[in-house]
Amino acid sequence: MSPAHSSDPDRLSKMDDPEINRFLAENETDLDSVRTPETHVPVEQAEPVAPKEETSKPDIAFQQNVEIEAQSRKTIELKVSDDGLQVQAKGIFPETQIKDVQAALDNQNIVAGLLVKEVQTAIQKAQNTGKPVLDVVVCKGMPAKPAGSPQLVYHLPKDLTSVPNLQKIKGFQNISDPDVLQEAVDCMGMAWWVNAGEILAEKSTPPGIAGIDVYGNLLPPSETESLPSSHWPDAGFGVEWIENNTHYAAQICGYAGLLDNQLTVLPAVWVPSDAMSAFFLHLPHQNESVFPNIDTLTNMLIRAGVVYGVIKKALNTLIAKVHTGALEGVLFLVAKGKQPEMPPNAQPTFHFVHEPQIGALQADGSINFKEQNRFPSVRKDALLAEYCPPEAGISGTNIYGQTVAP
């Protein structure tokens, strides 16, 4: 190789050609850039490597977070609970946005229950700490609410807070004195007046509420098991079951309540001990504006056993007084039996004046006081008296239709 093409810079610097020397001096820096790789190729400086030092045991949770972050920046991993009511995001990262969560839910056909506020709170926390927030509940369905326990609902008037106990009203039949009865009624509370056909109570089961899972599927509520018949009061006198044994209905008008654990309607009737009359028993109660008609009252009397001597005019008067608020007192006569006629006593028939007299009446109208007949006189063999057998009496009838002997 000739000296003019030598690659040795020292040798080039020693050339005698002034033009070359001047070029070399002016382009020394450029020359350096074209020198062979072995001597002047720029090399990128590597970062200094710190010497290995002994450290404590690696933070496994942190490493898992890093791995999760690397994986979740593209997709958010979701976990749906077995019942379909909850969705968890495995991690929420500083870079996560609410639309990323929504996209992940849409990808799995999750359409209900997005917890926007909770997700935003997790995103803010991740941004504040620079670390992912793990196991974030991002979606919740609504569980079904089961039906409530069966219960008995009474249709009470507004002024009654509990079902009356009929024991006291039943005991009024044992009071024979009307004045004592009035005092007993004054001491009692409000009665529960009902009409025939009225619903007294019904079995009611509070309905459940359907739920919805995160996929938008309806979740039907569970049904409550029915209770045995012994759980409910029996239908007593004047009450019947209707509508498949779910409702108690009054068969007659009267006073409703519980008697010996039976829902009962007692007729509003008071009968004295001789059963020769029957009275409407007027107790303080509600619903007087819907007082029954004459046919309903008659049916009540029949159910109470009053079948004889019902006074129709008295029933009409009773209805009018109740409607006008003019009914006073506790008892109002509505039926009356027929009293028996007693037989006349057996008496002899005398054929002479046998009773003492004040005196003998004279023709002029004066009285001879000497003739007082203190010792009546009779002739021999004269008929003094005859015996007359007693006549039969006439039987009567009480309000129950029973015969009452004279």
Side-chain angles (χ1 to χ4, degrees):
M1 180 182 295
S2 64
H5 296 282
S6 172
S7 62
D8 185 353
D10 293 335
R11 292 180 64 183
L12 289 173
S13 66
K14 294 178 182 178
M15 295 290 293
D16 293 334
D17 191 337
E19 290 295 328
I20 293 177
N21 290 334
R22 183 173 61 80
F23 176 79
L24 293 175
E26 292 176 358
N27 299 283
E28 184 175 1
T29 303
D30 293 338
L31 186 60
D32 290 339
S33 64
V34 298
R35 289 175 181 171
T36 58
E38 291 80 3
T39 56
H40 290 285
V41 175
V43 178
E44 185 177 355
Q45 294 291 329
E47 294 182 2
V49 179
K52 292 185 179 180
E53 296 180 0
E54 259 188 56
T55 59
S56 59
K57 187 176 181 181
D59 189 339
I60 297 176
F62 178 76
Q63 290 180 0
Q64 291 177 342
N65 293 347
V66 173
E67 294 173 0
I68 292 171
E69 180 176 3
Q71 182 181 1
S72 301
R73 283 176 181 172
K74 295 182 180 179
T75 59
I76 296 177
E77 185 177 348
L78 301 177
K79 179 182 179 181
V80 182
S81 61
D82 293 338
D83 57 10
L85 290 173
Q86 180 172 290
V87 181
Q88 273 189 341
K90 198 169 182 182
I92 296 293
F93 300 91
E95 297 83 358
T96 303
Q97 297 181 16
I98 190 72
K99 64 180 181 180
D100 300 328
V101 177
Q102 183 64 68
L105 295 172
D106 293 343
N107 189 48
Q108 296 193 26
N109 297 321
I110 296 172
V111 297
L114 175 61
L115 304 176
V116 176
K117 184 177 180 180
E118 286 77 355
V119 173
Q120 290 175 337
T121 300
I123 292 174
Q124 187 64 48
K125 182 178 179 181
Q127 292 174 350
N128 292 341
T129 61
K131 297 180 179 181
V133 180
L134 304 181
D135 298 328
V136 179
V137 177
V138 297
C139 200
K140 274 188 177 181
M142 184 179 72
K145 182 179 178 182
S149 299
Q151 54 188 329
L152 190 62
V153 179
Y154 290 95
H155 295 196
L156 296 172
K158 61 181 181 179
D159 291 341
L160 279 179
T161 58
S162 60
V163 181
N165 188 326
L166 295 179
Q167 198 65 47
K168 180 178 290 187
I169 297 178
K170 182 181 179 182
F172 289 163
Q173 290 296 336
N174 299 324
I175 300 176
S176 57
D177 188 338
D179 293 333
V180 176
L181 177 63
Q182 179 69 61
E183 294 177 0
V185 171
D186 292 340
C187 296
M188 71 170 290
M190 193 71 67
W192 181 13
W193 172 264
V194 296
N195 287 309
E198 186 173 333
I199 301 299
L200 307 180
E202 62 180 291
K203 297 177 183 178
S204 175
T205 301
I209 300 175
I212 185 171
D213 64 15
V214 295
Y215 299 107
N217 300 316
L218 288 179
L219 305 175
S222 59
E223 297 182 357
T224 303
E225 294 184 2
S226 59
L227 297 175
S229 58
S230 58
H231 177 79
W232 311 102
D234 292 330
F237 183 87
V239 176
E240 64 178 340
W241 286 103
I242 62 173
E243 298 185 21
N244 296 323
N245 291 347
T246 60
H247 291 64
Y248 296 82
Q251 294 177 313
I252 59 172
C253 60
Y255 300 112
L258 288 172
L259 183 64
D260 300 329
N261 198 36
Q262 294 181 342
L263 191 55
T264 303
V265 176
L266 292 179
V269 178
W270 182 80
V271 178
S273 57
D274 63 0
M276 295 305 297
S277 57
F279 296 82
F280 177 79
L281 180 62
H282 182 228
L283 304 178
H285 62 271
Q286 298 295 316
N287 294 344
E288 290 188 344
S289 60
V290 289
F291 197 75
N293 56 31
I294 190 169
D295 292 334
T296 307
L297 284 176
T298 302
N299 181 61
M300 177 194 70
L301 291 172
I302 293 173
R303 288 296 303 272
V306 180
V307 296
Y308 181 86
V310 176
I311 308 171
K312 299 291 185 180
K313 184 177 180 180
L315 293 180
N316 287 323
T317 302
L318 170 65
I319 294 171
K321 285 182 174 291
V322 169
H323 283 303
T324 59
L327 183 60
E328 298 179 353
V330 176
L331 300 177
F332 187 88
L333 181 67
V334 292
K336 188 174 182 179
K338 179 183 178 183
Q339 294 287 350
E341 295 183 13
M342 302 302 293
N345 293 328
Q347 295 181 350
T349 300
F350 292 94
H351 291 273
F352 70 99
V353 178
H354 65 285
E355 295 178 346
Q357 305 293 321
I358 296 176
L361 180 66
Q362 303 298 319
D364 59 1
S366 61
I367 296 178
N368 182 2
F369 289 101
K370 292 182 180 179
E371 299 293 334
Q372 295 183 356
N373 195 32
R374 290 184 178 179
F375 302 100
S377 59
V378 294
R379 296 188 301 274
K380 181 180 178 181
D381 297 327
L383 180 61
L384 301 179
E386 293 180 280
Y387 172 76
C388 296
E391 297 179 1
I394 301 176
S395 299
T397 307
N398 64 18
I399 51 99
Y400 297 127
Q402 299 168 338
T403 300
V404 179

